[in-house]
Amino acid sequence: MSISNEITVKYLLFYVLLFISSCSIAKEPLRIGVITDTHYLSEQLMEEGQALNDYIASSGKNIKDVPQVLDQVLNEYLNSDIQILLICGDITKDGEKLSHLDFLKKLKPLQDKGVKIYVIPGNHDVNMPNASEYKGDKKLPVANISPDDFASIYKDCGYGSALKRDNNSLSYVASLDDQTWLLAIDAARYREYTTGSITAGKISPDSEKWILEILREAKQKNKQVIGMMHWGFAEHIMYQSSFFKDYLVEDYLRLANLFADNGIKAIFTGHFHSNDITAFTSDKGNVIYDIETGTLSAYPFSYRFVELDANGMKIKTENVTSIPGNPYLAEEDKQRMLKLSTTLAKGKINKLGYNLSEETYDLFADIIGQIFIKHAYGDEKVDKSLKESLEKLSETMDIPMNTNEIELDFPPEDNNLYIKF
């Protein structure tokens, strides 16, 4: 072999090996941040006073502290290596136009850095009849926004760069990278609003048809699909479909089967203000994950970091525990939420009409309140306090109960885990 031919063969082998090695290197995971249910009220729309305090006490939303909590979370994302931020609805307290505009300003440093941001509306974002400001002891009406306004305001948060948009809703599909599509599903019923929002969510037949067309195209093009929707499609606690059905999208079981069997691996959701992940297995054996993230407007002030690759995703959950001026934010809000949830539970139990003693009613309400707080944080387990309350209830009602066998959480884990597709 001549020297020139030998050099040619060496170069050929070099490029073949280079090509093989480049194909064998795993794709870098997409680094994603996830927040939801910020319920942000513009600082320009609230002043200290009785009206604001009354709303916080009755609603379960600590809107007074949301601006500082949000600033802290967004600043942490800014100093991280995330490439994408997903915001799963209920961006604003009640759809105030100024809240949307000021919220967008808070996102600008991330966008200037190159982070791609994607939003979808919840039930508190569009066409809200009760958009308000709080001034002293007064609650006053302010301007809201229409569906078209939402898409225009957030044109740089998914709508302007969408591969395709649904003509019947604010749903869209976007490309996260050359292998991954994000399907953002709008199930809000803002066209039906009269005096307030509708808590329940629904995907219209026309939007469902559009979603299926997108999923068929994704399969043809060999794209990985993850979703984002405000409402859950799988139960996160026992009897959720009976007691909290408005926090699941209408016809959720059929849709969960439909999503799983048509290639969606996971959907990021919110609405129930809890950190919980549920694995749903379709009738055909396909698994899809409902990854619900807690609110930033109340304990435990949760947000997530996700690393998504072709085989699954690594999820890490963080919580805001303090803000400037209040080092005890999380603990104080936990106690506020515990008191509120216990009071609400007692009211619901009383309406059932059972002939129970006041002590038994109080025990039931206490147990439900404790379980709600644990569910909000995620990875809930029976601790000493809950165990004592359950044993006391067992004794009071003379019902045998093995507290060591009680499972509060559906698999998998909720906060820090790796999900394999």
Side-chain angles (χ1 to χ4, degrees):
M1 181 183 295
S2 67
I3 293 176
S4 60
N5 286 341
E6 186 176 344
I7 292 173
T8 302
V9 170
K10 285 182 178 179
Y11 272 114
L12 181 61
L13 287 172
F14 170 79
Y15 284 116
V16 168
L17 290 171
L18 183 64
F19 175 77
I20 292 172
S21 65
S22 67
C23 292
S24 65
I25 294 173
K27 171 184 166 289
E28 278 291 309
L30 281 171
R31 297 179 295 279
I32 303 170
V34 183
I35 60 174
T36 186
D37 295 85
T38 48
H39 292 285
Y40 171 74
L41 179 65
S42 168
E43 292 95 317
Q44 301 181 64
L45 298 178
M46 59 176 164
E47 290 180 2
E48 194 69 47
Q50 195 61 44
L52 183 63
N53 292 334
D54 286 348
Y55 175 81
I56 293 171
S58 63
S59 71
K61 304 183 186 86
N62 185 0
I63 58 172
K64 189 189 301 183
D65 289 328
V66 165
Q68 287 192 68
V69 171
L70 182 61
D71 286 346
Q72 189 166 310
V73 172
L74 294 179
N75 188 60
E76 184 168 345
Y77 282 140
L78 185 65
N79 290 301
S80 74
D81 61 355
I82 66 164
Q83 303 154 291
I84 294 160
L85 176 62
L86 305 181
I87 306 174
C88 308
D90 278 3
I91 296 168
T92 58
K93 178 194 165 292
D94 280 312
E96 311 83 14
K97 183 175 183 179
L98 191 55
S99 294
H100 282 294
L101 294 173
D102 284 353
F103 183 87
L104 190 65
K105 291 176 184 176
K106 289 181 178 293
L107 300 178
K108 193 171 187 304
L110 279 167
Q111 292 175 315
D112 290 344
K113 185 184 176 184
V115 175
K116 297 178 182 177
I117 299 176
Y118 300 94
V119 304
I120 201 71
N123 54 302
H124 282 277
D125 290 321
V126 178
N127 278 354
M128 286 293 291
N130 54 341
S132 305
E133 65 177 342
Y134 294 80
K135 304 288 184 182
D137 61 353
K138 294 180 180 179
K139 176 183 174 183
L140 304 168
V142 296
N144 65 7
I145 66 168
S146 68
D148 286 344
D149 292 333
F150 187 89
S152 176
I153 290 170
Y154 294 107
K155 65 181 184 299
D156 294 326
C157 298
Y159 289 95
S161 59
L163 297 175
K164 291 184 180 180
R165 283 188 54 188
D166 176 26
N167 294 326
N168 304 287
S169 73
L170 286 167
S171 302
Y172 62 91
V173 62
S175 176
L176 300 185
D177 64 13
D178 57 1
Q179 299 175 25
T180 311
W181 280 3
L182 171 70
L183 179 59
I185 302 172
D186 169 24
R189 296 168 62 181
Y190 40 77
R191 291 184 177 88
E192 304 172 48
Y193 292 177
T194 53
T195 59
S197 74
I198 296 173
T199 304
K202 180 179 180 179
I203 298 173
S204 72
D206 288 335
S207 291
E208 182 180 320
K209 182 180 177 182
W210 177 84
I211 289 168
L212 286 174
E213 289 172 356
I214 293 298
L215 294 178
R216 280 194 287 268
E217 183 178 348
K219 187 175 181 180
Q220 290 171 358
K221 295 182 176 180
N222 198 30
K223 301 293 184 181
Q224 180 185 53
V225 179
I226 62 166
M228 174 171 69
M229 179 172 66
H230 188 59
W231 285 261
F233 62 87
E235 286 189 300
H236 291 273
I237 56 173
M238 288 186 295
Y239 310 117
Q240 185 175 5
S241 59
S242 298
F243 294 103
F244 303 104
K245 66 177 182 179
D246 288 349
Y247 294 87
L248 296 167
V249 70
E250 185 176 298
D251 208 6
Y252 74 98
L253 269 177
R254 184 185 64 82
L255 288 172
N257 275 276
L258 193 72
F259 293 156
D261 293 339
N262 282 277
I264 304 182
K265 301 299 184 183
I267 299 184
F268 292 96
T269 65
H271 197 31
F272 200 54
H273 291 196
S274 297
N275 266 339
D276 193 271
I277 300 175
T278 294
F280 176 87
T281 303
S282 74
D283 296 338
K284 295 181 180 179
N286 297 306
V287 179
I288 183 173
Y289 292 88
D290 184 330
I291 304 168
E292 178 183 82
T293 300
T295 178
L296 285 181
S297 68
Y299 175 84
F301 303 104
S302 308
Y303 55 107
R304 299 198 194 260
F305 288 87
V306 177
E307 292 184 3
L308 172 69
D309 58 38
N311 301 312
M313 61 174 72
K314 179 182 178 182
I315 299 174
K316 177 185 176 186
T317 304
E318 299 285 357
N319 306 93
V320 176
T321 58
S322 64
I323 54 175
N326 187 0
Y328 309 109
L329 170 73
E331 186 56 36
E332 288 179 1
D333 212 68
K334 180 181 179 180
Q335 295 306 316
R336 180 182 70 86
M337 291 301 296
L338 179 60
K339 181 179 178 181
L340 179 61
S341 58
T342 302
T343 301
L344 293 173
K346 190 171 182 180
K348 284 182 177 290
I349 295 166
N350 278 324
K351 287 180 181 178
L352 295 176
Y354 293 119
N355 187 23
L356 302 174
S357 68
E358 190 69 20
E359 180 187 15
T360 306
Y361 274 123
D362 288 343
L363 272 171
F364 264 121
D366 171 61
I367 289 166
I368 292 171
Q370 288 190 59
I371 291 173
F372 176 80
I373 291 297
K374 293 181 187 304
H375 180 64
Y377 191 87
D379 295 322
E380 52 267 42
K381 291 178 174 60
V382 178
D383 61 8
K384 181 181 178 182
S385 175
L386 181 56
K387 183 177 181 179
E388 289 175 353
S389 296
L390 288 167
E391 288 173 346
K392 191 171 181 180
L393 179 66
S394 173
E395 181 183 332
T396 302
M397 298 190 70
D398 195 24
I399 298 174
M401 185 183 301
N402 187 347
T403 56
N404 295 321
E405 294 181 354
I406 295 175
E407 294 288 340
L408 297 178
D409 191 27
F410 295 161
E413 296 176 353
D414 299 324
N415 287 311
N416 301 295
L417 70 160
Y418 182 82
I419 291 172
K420 186 173 176 61
F421 295 153

